[in-house]
């Protein structure tokens, strides 16, 4: 009896403490992201990505420098490890490469191929800005935006192949072939506004989970705005407007637990920037 009496206050203290700890989490939970509808199996991402990667690497000049590549790879894998469970696809293998191009740009292909321009690394004012752009690209891959985009055109593509089967003549086959080519092109089209916003939000979330400060991703949009006048950087120019994206990311940050001592690692970044500056690849 007396033992029970002693236990009760302890329990109530625990309940109060737990309630205190849990309240801020439930009151301000981070935005729940839902991957868009996708008619394709996971394997399609990997196959389409591999094909597109082969194509892209034929056109672009890849920086073959072990230190530079390893640096980008290390940031990328740290972010990938912070992806929420539901967006981890064991079939995906994330590969990070640097392209010898001065534009502030980065892009990703379905299945895990992520490319960062040297211009992006050189423009970054801290490692978080570079990590932010990469987190955004990783989010497009994890949410399968490439194949989701093609899924939007899918009813139309099915229509084409039915037409070609029914007509069975050369002209219809040509049209169907065109449909396939269009599907491939869609991977490279600009993503819709909602996909960009999703990638910004999930990107901010994985940054926070990986120990970075997502404010750095928001700041990239300030950087983009400031450079917009003189030719401007290519990365995500446009929609939604950089200013809106900056604001939306900051709204999300208010809901996130951000490490008070975020990863900065600027010595390493400066070293890599100097290395890029000295080298011609
Ligand atoms: Zn994007």
């Amino acid at each position: 009896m007396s033992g029970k009496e002693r236990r009760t206050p302890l329990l109530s203290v625990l309940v109060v403490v737990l309630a205190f700890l849990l309240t801020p989490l439930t009151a301000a939970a981070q935005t729940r992201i839902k991957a868009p509808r996708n008619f394709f199996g996971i394997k399609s991402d990997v196959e389409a990505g591999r094909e597109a990667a082969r194509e892209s690497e034929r056109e672009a000049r890849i920086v073959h420098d072990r230190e530079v590549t390893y640096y980008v790879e290390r940031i990328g894998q740290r972010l990938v490890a912070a992806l929420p469970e539901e967006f981890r696809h064991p079939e995906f293998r994330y590969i990070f490469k640097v392209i010898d191009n001065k534009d502030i740009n980065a892009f990703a292909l379905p299945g895990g191929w992520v490319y960062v321009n040297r211009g992006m690394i050189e423009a970054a004012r801290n490692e978080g800005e570079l990590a932010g752009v990469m987190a955004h690209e990783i989010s497009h891959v994890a949410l399968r935006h490439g194949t989701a985009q093609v899924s939007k055109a899918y009813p139309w593509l099915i229509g084409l192949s039915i037409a070609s089967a029914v007509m069975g003549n050369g002209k219809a086959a040509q049209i169907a072939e065109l449909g396939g080519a269009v599907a491939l092109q869609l991977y490279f089209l600009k993503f819709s506004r909602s996909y960009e916003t999703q990638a910004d939000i999930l990107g901010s979330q994985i940054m926070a989970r990986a120990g970075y400060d997502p404010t750095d991703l928001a700041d990239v949009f300030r950087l983009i705005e400031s450079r917009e006048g003189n030719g401007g950087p290519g990365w995500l120019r446009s929609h939604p407007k950089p200013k809106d994206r900056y604001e939306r990311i900051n709204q999300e940050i208010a809901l996130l637990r951000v490490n008070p001592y975020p990863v900065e690692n600027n010595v390493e970044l400066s070293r890599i920037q100097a290395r890029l500056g000295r080298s011609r690849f």
Side-chain angles (χ1 to χ4, degrees):
M1 189 70 185
S2 62
K4 208 175 186 180
E5 268 167 24
R6 242 179 276 129
R7 236 169 31 222
T8 314
L10 179 65
L11 260 181
S12 13
V13 167
L14 275 177
V15 166
V16 170
V17 167
L18 269 178
F20 176 77
L21 283 175
L22 290 174
T23 308
L25 276 180
T26 45
Q30 62 179 40
T31 304
R32 252 190 88 76
I33 299 283
K34 198 167 165 283
R37 197 157 68 127
N38 202 318
F39 290 137
F40 295 90
I42 286 278
K43 276 190 182 159
S44 302
D45 285 54
V46 178
E47 281 159 18
R50 185 178 297 122
E51 181 61 33
R54 207 173 291 143
E55 197 72 26
S56 308
E57 291 185 26
R58 209 175 294 143
E59 315 255 306
R61 278 201 308 186
I62 302 293
V63 170
H64 293 289
D65 179 284
R66 195 188 285 249
E67 285 194 47
V68 171
T69 310
Y70 176 71
Y71 175 66
V72 170
E73 177 81 29
R74 193 176 50 72
I75 297 172
Q77 295 303 348
R78 180 180 187 134
L79 294 164
V80 167
L83 274 169
E85 195 62 41
E86 68 261 43
F87 303 129
R88 283 186 195 176
H89 305 292
E91 296 86 349
F92 288 4
R93 209 176 120 232
Y94 286 86
I95 296 168
F96 300 88
K97 294 191 180 179
V98 177
I99 294 177
D100 186 14
N101 183 315
K102 286 180 89 70
D103 294 340
I104 301 180
N105 214 344
F107 69 97
L109 298 171
W113 285 266
V114 179
Y115 297 90
V116 182
N117 278 2
R118 71 182 290 171
M120 181 65 240
I121 303 174
E122 286 171 336
R125 294 162 296 187
N126 57 53
E127 186 175 296
E129 290 189 346
L130 174 58
V133 170
M134 292 174 68
H136 172 96
E137 295 302 331
I138 289 167
S139 300
H140 277 312
V141 175
L143 294 167
R144 306 184 59 213
H145 282 164
T147 43
Q149 177 121 314
V150 181
S151 297
K152 282 193 207 166
Y154 205 54
W156 178 72
L157 292 171
I158 287 177
L160 274 181
S161 51
I162 289 173
S164 87
V166 169
M167 291 155 80
N169 61 29
K171 205 164 202 174
Q174 267 175 19
I175 295 172
E177 211 166 276
L178 184 74
V182 168
L184 199 67
Q185 289 299 314
L186 280 167
Y187 287 116
F188 297 100
L189 270 187
K190 260 199 236 163
F191 286 132
S192 68
R193 190 179 291 254
S194 65
Y195 288 7
E196 291 305 336
T197 304
Q198 275 200 331
D200 285 344
I201 295 173
L202 184 60
S204 304
Q205 294 174 353
I206 66 175
M207 277 187 89
R209 283 168 59 120
Y212 286 104
D213 183 352
T215 309
D216 293 332
L217 172 57
D219 286 342
V220 171
F221 293 103
R222 282 264 160 103
L223 178 72
I224 285 175
E225 257 189 334
S226 74
R227 304 259 182 114
E228 200 74 337
N230 44 15
W235 196 65
L236 316 174
R237 181 202 293 254
S238 69
H239 67 260
K241 286 198 169 66
K243 187 173 161 284
D244 297 340
R245 301 179 71 167
Y246 174 84
E247 281 165 12
R248 180 63 188 87
I249 292 167
N250 276 304
Q251 278 171 23
E252 188 66 22
I253 291 170
L255 309 176
L256 297 175
R257 284 171 174 234
V258 179
N259 185 347
Y261 304 101
V263 180
E264 284 175 343
N265 202 18
N266 293 335
V267 175
E268 183 78 9
L269 174 67
S270 307
R271 199 177 65 79
I272 295 297
Q273 285 171 332
R275 202 175 162 81
L276 281 170
R278 280 195 306 269
S279 319
R280 288 286 161 268
F281 297 96

